[in-house]
Amino acid sequence: QVQLVESGGGLVQAGGSLRLSCVGSGRTLSSYVMGWFRQAPGKEREFVAGITRSGSTVYADSVKGRFTISRDNAKNTVYLQMNSLKPEDTAVYYCAASSRVAVKTTPYEYNYWGQGTQVTVSS
C-alpha cells in the first residue's frame, strides 16, 4: 500500500507560479511511475505530467514548456513546478502512482491516488 499526500496548492494570479509536492508513505515512490492529473468542475480527470522510475518525463500538450515534474527519491517526494499559470489551469490536482513500466495518461492505469490539492488561477 502507498499513501500519497499532496500540498502546495493555492490561489495565484495569471502568470504566477506554484510548486506542488506529493509525499509518499508505506512504500518507496521510486518503485512506481508517478503522475499528476487534474480535474476541473464538470470535467473529466485529465493527465498533466508523468515521470518514470529512471526520470524520463511526459507532459500534456497544454502544459508543455510551463510545467516540470521531478522526483526526489531521498525524500520520497514528487514535485510539479507550475510556471506561467493560466486561468484554465484551475483545477484540483492529484498525484498518482502506477505499477506500469512507462508513463500512462489514463487514470485507470494508476493504482494509488492522493486526496488532491486545489489550484486556482485568477485572471
Side-chain angles (χ1 to χ4, degrees), residues 70-123:
S70 61
R71 63 194 310 161
D72 185 336
N73 291 334
K75 295 183 178 180
N76 216 30
T77 301
V78 176
Y79 301 100
L80 185 68
Q81 177 67 44
M82 305 186 296
N83 299 329
S84 302
L85 283 162
K86 305 175 181 179
E88 51 262 45
D89 294 319
T90 295
V92 177
Y93 283 70
Y94 298 90
C95 171
S98 171
S99 300
R100 300 296 189 183
V101 173
V103 172
K104 302 296 183 182
T105 61
T106 51
Y108 70 82
E109 298 280 7
Y110 289 77
N111 309 92
Y112 304 102
W113 291 84
Q115 83 290 347
T117 185
Q118 177 71 47
V119 171
T120 303
V121 184
S122 63
S123 57

Side-chain angles (χ1 to χ4, degrees), residues 16-97:
S17 298
L18 284 174
R19 188 177 80 156
L20 306 183
S21 299
C22 171
V23 179
S25 61
R27 293 192 67 180
T28 175
L29 296 187
S30 62
S31 301
Y32 297 91
V33 167
M34 299 299 298
W36 284 97
F37 288 75
R38 65 187 182 187
Q39 188 166 19
K43 294 188 176 181
E44 294 187 352
R45 192 166 297 190
E46 66 173 357
F47 173 80
V48 174
I51 187 167
T52 66
R53 295 170 183 81
S54 62
S56 297
T57 57
V58 177
Y59 295 94
D61 287 343
S62 58
V63 307
K64 204 170 291 183
R66 299 188 299 123
F67 291 10
T68 302
I69 187 172
S70 61
R71 63 194 310 161
D72 185 336
N73 291 334
K75 295 183 178 180
N76 216 30
T77 301
V78 176
Y79 301 100
L80 185 68
Q81 177 67 44
M82 305 186 296
N83 299 329
S84 302
L85 283 162
K86 305 175 181 179
E88 51 262 45
D89 294 319
T90 295
V92 177
Y93 283 70
Y94 298 90
C95 171

